Amino acid sequence: MTSPIRTERHDNVLVVISDNPPVNALGQAVRAGLKDAIEEAMSDDGIEAVVIRCDGRTFFAGADITEFGKPPVGPNLPETLDTMEASDKPVVAAIHGTALGGGCEVALACHYRVAVPSAKLGLPEVKLGLIPGAAGTQRLPRLVGAEAALPLVVGGNPISAKKAQGIGLVDEIVGEDSLEADAIAFAKSKIGQPVPRASEGTANEDGVRDPDLFDRFRASQARKIRGFDAPNAAIEAVKAAGTMSYAEGVKKERELFTELMSGTQSAAMRHYFFAERAANKIDDVPKDTPLIPIEKVGVIGAGTMGGGISMNFLSAGIPVTILEMSQDALDRGTGTMRKNYENTAKKGRMTADQVEQAMGLLTPTLSYDDLADCDLVIEAVYESMDVKKEVFGKLDEVVKQGAILASNTSYLDVNEIAAATQRPGYVVGMHFFSPANIMKLLEVVRGEKTRGDVLATVMKLSKTIGKVAAVSGVCPGFIGNRMLSKRQGQANALIMEGANYWEVDEVLLDFGFPMGPFQMGDLAGIDIGWHRDPSKVTTVREALCAVGRFGQKAGKGFYDYDEARQRTPSDEVKQIIADFAAKEGKEQREISKNEIRERLLYPMVNEGAKILEEGMAQRASDIDVVWINGYGWPLYTGGPMFWAQTIGLDTIVEGLEKHGLPVSNYLRERAAGSGNFD
Ligand code: 3HC
């Protein structure tokens, strides 16, 4: 097998080049080739400096994740990098694309780093439930200081070359199109000088002078890192860089890394990494399917959903024509969009110019005719089949042939909507989640007749607008809401049987969800879909509405809220629920947190199994992608289906039986068979 590493001589500079598509992951062959090349340079008197660069779209994007969990084959990355750093001849990393994880650690082991302006550098290991494992947590703080290192190692988000230069991670920004030549010139300019080694740096002394730095940083990240093991380990490792010798610090990093690597969180998060990428692929739609160009988008409805959906496209530079029924509604909707953008600008995440650029791409209209030349029209109107059919009938008349017509419905039959047009092949569901400009998930609903190129186009577009997409077949509630309804059903039943509603919420919070079902009800508004007749009370929700407990916006819903929106359980609501339970003759009993957890989560897994059996999801991991991105299922468990496999499908079956809940045949078969959904 030919090595992915080759070398080229440029006078007295050896250029070491990696060609390991798609992202130059640092697999065994790459590591071995790199080590050999460095050793070649060391032993060759004609070579006085080394440049390391990559072919293709990026500098090394990290260790090869597919090797994780398999028996290691040397040389390992730390020893490869130690060889590199030990060189007395200057070694320069020439960076383009994304120098991530192990790739950033390669750069740190080099004596100098030059990068093109578009390059990004980062240590995203925490996103895989890990910390850097090739001395990144020890070299980086010594090079840039603990304060600058913490957000990189703990947050895991990459930074631009310019920012990296600002903190001392990059030495020089070079020409976008002249990386190799500029890197060679840079390397030549360093010949004969003593080489600076990151492992010998002293910038980490900021963390020695101010040891509270680490606690302050941890406190500032509390909400983001709740429940995750890796960020705390990352803080510990960076702290060790200040309190220990380099060799001891590296040992500490290795201990933390090894512990995380063998834990369930990292396994779950690595599963998710591949799940997200798999979800974008559609089994029977070939990769090279020609796409429909999307240069102009129409959105029907300027309410919360329509406005949020439009912002996704505007932010990506795609013009949007937004349609409403009245000037008032149109003005209100576009006004809210502008306000949202301005708030983002106030937080420093956008410039005033970018706000104007985005809003400048928006065309408000009251006429369907203005949608005629759109390549994609997304309907975000009231959830009524009659209304949707009317809208699609009109769209079919005015919008050009070949354009995609999408519905944002969250549960209606997309096949029936498609049948209201003469072009059902071009009709698809695009289910965004509220707030649509922020939530990552896009559920793409594939109708019976939806064409392959329409699906491929929508999947590609989802990436352009920064969404994570998963495909669902047509069934009530699709993947996400269909499973949610099972959880909600149990939540409602539990409070009728004696569980306190705040305990139900607490169980989900403890599991790692950002909120429970009753908190969610309060946030969304209890009065959604309410008939507005206080004398007609047939459910707990109607009873709450009848006494003005509409949710957070009214200062009271299931909970009472103070001015800071802090919630406390309400005696009034407890009484309402008790009265309901008495009326329905429901016996009250103590219900353990364990029972609550099992009854909320196990039926979701059962429903997920049915979704798989019916072919409504292509693979179990797509269901995980939906629940992690759309409903706050904790990432560190890998999603409902992966979590179920982790605790054992037989445990789920037994639990469902114990609580007298239905068990699908498919779940039973899988539990009795491989214990696996895939
Ligand atoms: N190992 C193995 N495969 C990888 C990989 C990696 N580190 N990074 C990406 N890939 C694969 C993807 O699975 C995908 O495969 P597919 O085409 O078969 O689905 C392919 O490369 C392309 O990836 P993307 O679809 O994600 O391409 P993008 O252009 O959208 O993004 C990227 C490129 C920004 C590099 C993104 O892939 C990414 O973020 N990769 C992971 C980076 C990372 O986490 N690095 C740290 C690894 S852990 C580590 O280094 C430990 C060390 O400290 C010891």
Side-chain angles (χ1 to χ4, degrees):
M1 209 179 76
T2 54
S3 168
I5 300 290
R6 68 177 194 280
T7 55
E8 286 171 8
R9 280 169 174 263
H10 292 256
D11 308 327
N12 53 350
V13 177
L14 188 74
V15 181
V16 179
I17 303 156
S18 170
D19 183 12
N20 186 31
V23 297
N24 281 303
L26 289 148
Q28 193 274 336
V30 175
R31 297 193 302 269
L34 272 179
K35 192 157 179 278
D36 288 350
I38 294 293
E39 282 165 354
E40 175 193 332
M42 294 312 98
S43 61
D44 185 337
D45 290 343
I47 294 297
E48 292 184 88
V50 179
V51 166
I52 299 180
R53 71 159 185 89
C54 292
D55 272 349
R57 63 200 222 213
T58 179
F59 195 74
F60 309 104
D64 186 339
I65 307 168
T66 59
E67 283 183 355
F68 290 0
K70 295 182 186 154
V73 183
N76 64 28
L77 193 56
E79 66 180 282
T80 308
L81 301 194
D82 287 348
T83 307
M84 207 175 268
E85 197 190 41
S87 158
D88 287 328
K89 300 175 185 178
V91 182
V92 178
I95 302 168
H96 78 294
T98 43
L100 299 179
C104 189
E105 289 173 301
V106 170
L108 283 163
C110 292
H111 306 123
Y112 301 98
R113 290 147 291 278
V114 302
V116 297
S118 62
K120 289 195 167 147
L121 293 90
L123 292 166
E125 284 88 342
V126 281
K127 302 198 175 187
L128 298 169
L130 296 170
I131 60 168
T137 67
Q138 301 306 300
R139 286 198 176 99
L140 183 67
R142 284 176 167 82
L143 183 70
V144 306
E147 190 168 9
L150 278 170
L152 275 169
V153 184
V154 181
N157 293 323
I159 54 172
S160 66
K162 194 158 172 241
K163 270 202 177 148
Q165 188 184 30
I167 61 170
L169 174 55
V170 160
D171 297 289
E172 195 166 291
I173 309 266
V174 298
E176 193 71 55
D177 302 317
S178 53
L179 176 62
E180 185 181 88
D182 291 354
I184 292 172
F186 183 92
K188 282 186 175 174
S189 76
K190 299 296 175 189
I191 292 171
Q193 297 178 21
V195 294
R197 296 189 173 93
S199 65
E200 294 167 1
T202 54
N204 56 332
E205 281 169 11
D206 63 340
V208 181
R209 283 191 301 273
D210 178 12
D212 293 344
L213 186 77
F214 302 96
D215 289 338
R216 280 203 309 275
F217 183 79
R218 186 182 283 110
S220 74
Q221 301 298 304
R223 208 173 55 85
K224 272 195 208 147
I225 65 180
R226 185 176 79 96
F228 287 88
D229 294 338
N232 281 310
I235 295 173
E236 217 181 307
V238 176
K239 197 170 177 182
T243 54
M244 294 179 177
S245 68
Y246 178 71
E248 283 172 339
V250 168
K251 215 170 123 207
K252 176 77 186 170
E253 178 194 90
R254 180 98 321 237
E255 275 166 28
L256 292 165
F257 178 84
T258 310
E259 195 182 325
L260 290 168
M261 180 66 100
S262 56
T264 53
Q265 288 203 355
S266 177
M269 290 167 78
R270 281 180 274 136
H271 155 78
Y272 175 75
F273 177 85
F274 291 112
E276 184 181 312
R277 280 149 184 86
N280 210 265
K281 300 183 175 92
I282 306 175
D283 287 342
D284 58 342
V285 177
K287 221 175 146 186
D288 54 359
T289 302
L291 303 180
I292 301 167
I294 305 293
E295 275 153 24
K296 192 173 169 195
V297 172
V299 174
I300 305 184
T304 314
M305 268 332 267
I309 292 171
S310 302
M311 288 173 76
N312 288 303
F313 295 97
L314 298 176
S315 302
I318 301 173
V320 173
T321 301
I322 191 163
L323 175 95
E324 254 300 348
M325 294 299 103
S326 74
Q327 191 62 46
D328 249 16
L330 199 54
D331 292 345
R332 234 186 353 262
T334 54
T336 306
M337 287 162 69
R338 174 171 280 283
K339 218 163 80 202
N340 285 341
Y341 273 132
E342 283 169 353
N343 284 340
T344 311
K346 266 190 214 144
K347 289 180 196 146
R349 293 205 294 262
M350 237 180 149
T351 63
D353 271 359
Q354 285 169 327
V355 173
E356 294 315 318
Q357 254 168 36
M359 287 305 289
L361 291 170
L362 183 67
T363 310
T365 182
L366 296 172
S367 162
Y368 268 85
D369 293 339
D370 290 336
L371 301 174
D373 63 344
C374 287
D375 305 301
L376 161 71
V377 181
I378 305 171
E379 156 282 306
V381 303
Y382 182 63
E383 284 281 65
S384 140
M385 183 54 88
D386 290 343
V387 177
K388 305 253 181 205
K389 278 182 169 169
E390 197 189 317
V391 168
F392 273 77
K394 270 197 208 139
L395 285 177
D396 196 26
E397 278 169 28
V398 295
V399 182
K400 67 180 180 190
Q401 288 303 315
I404 302 175
L405 307 181
S407 171
N408 176 51
T409 181
S410 56
Y411 61 89
L412 293 173
D413 184 339
V414 172
N415 293 329
E416 198 178 333
I417 296 174
T421 73
Q422 301 299 311
R423 51 172 125 172
Y426 285 91
V427 176
V428 67
M430 287 177 77
H431 179 207
F432 289 84
F433 289 70
S434 187
N437 52 324
I438 290 172
M439 292 292 285
K440 286 293 250 183
L441 181 65
L442 178 64
E443 231 178 1
V444 175
V445 186
R446 176 182 195 164
E448 265 163 25
K449 299 201 170 134
T450 309
R451 293 162 54 109
D453 57 353
V454 168
L455 286 167
T457 301
V458 171
M459 297 313 274
K460 175 77 190 354
L461 193 60
S462 71
K463 270 193 135 186
T464 311
I465 60 171
K467 298 289 176 210
V468 175
V471 177
S472 172
V474 177
C475 57
F478 315 126
I479 296 173
N481 283 345
R482 176 167 164 182
M483 286 166 69
L484 180 68
S485 73
K486 296 295 161 191
R487 190 182 85 178
Q488 192 63 46
Q490 284 304 306
N492 294 344
L494 281 160
I495 62 171
M496 284 293 126
E497 293 168 36
N500 288 314
Y501 64 87
W502 58 91
E503 282 172 348
V504 173
D505 281 345
E506 271 164 23
V507 163
L508 290 183
L509 282 174
D510 290 348
F511 186 75
F513 279 95
M515 65 178 81
F518 299 106
Q519 281 172 273
M520 200 159 95
D522 278 0
L523 184 69
I526 309 272
D527 56 336
I528 290 182
W530 182 43
H531 47 56
R532 313 216 165 257
D533 177 358
S535 66
K536 214 172 97 197
V537 173
T538 56
T539 64
V540 169
R541 283 177 84 101
E542 285 172 359
L544 296 191
C545 288
V547 294
R549 302 195 69 102
F550 298 137
Q552 267 195 32
K553 60 186 170 192
K556 53 184 187 172
F558 279 98
Y559 295 91
D560 291 327
Y561 293 89
D562 65 16
E563 265 144 36
R565 295 215 166 176
Q566 290 300 314
R567 63 180 192 283
T568 38
S570 148
D571 288 338
E572 184 184 23
V573 175
K574 208 177 158 202
Q575 195 53 53
I576 289 174
I577 295 171
D579 291 347
F580 249 90
K583 210 162 71 190
E584 290 185 6
K586 288 269 186 316
E587 217 173 282
Q588 303 291 289
R589 64 184 173 91
E590 284 271 323
I591 302 184
S592 71
K593 285 205 162 180
N594 204 30
E595 176 174 342
I596 296 176
R597 192 169 51 85
E598 291 177 0
R599 285 181 54 188
L600 291 174
L601 302 183
Y602 290 7
M604 293 177 62
V605 175
N606 187 55
E607 199 61 25
K610 284 165 73 177
I611 286 171
L612 279 176
E613 184 177 24
E614 293 165 20
M616 292 297 144
Q618 298 187 88
R619 39 187 102 80
S621 61
D622 284 10
I623 299 177
D624 293 333
V625 168
V626 166
W627 266 82
I628 285 172
N629 291 289
Y631 301 83
W633 185 290
L635 170 61
Y636 52 77
T637 69
M641 308 312 268
F642 185 82
W643 169 76
Q645 287 170 191
T646 310
I647 64 166
L649 298 189
D650 46 355
T651 307
I652 305 276
V653 171
E654 280 163 29
L656 288 167
E657 282 172 342
K658 182 173 72 189
H659 300 304
L661 296 168
V663 184
S664 73
N665 287 336
Y666 191 71
L667 179 59
R668 262 186 221 289
E669 276 167 27
R670 292 286 157 161
S674 63
N676 210 302
F677 282 117
D678 285 319

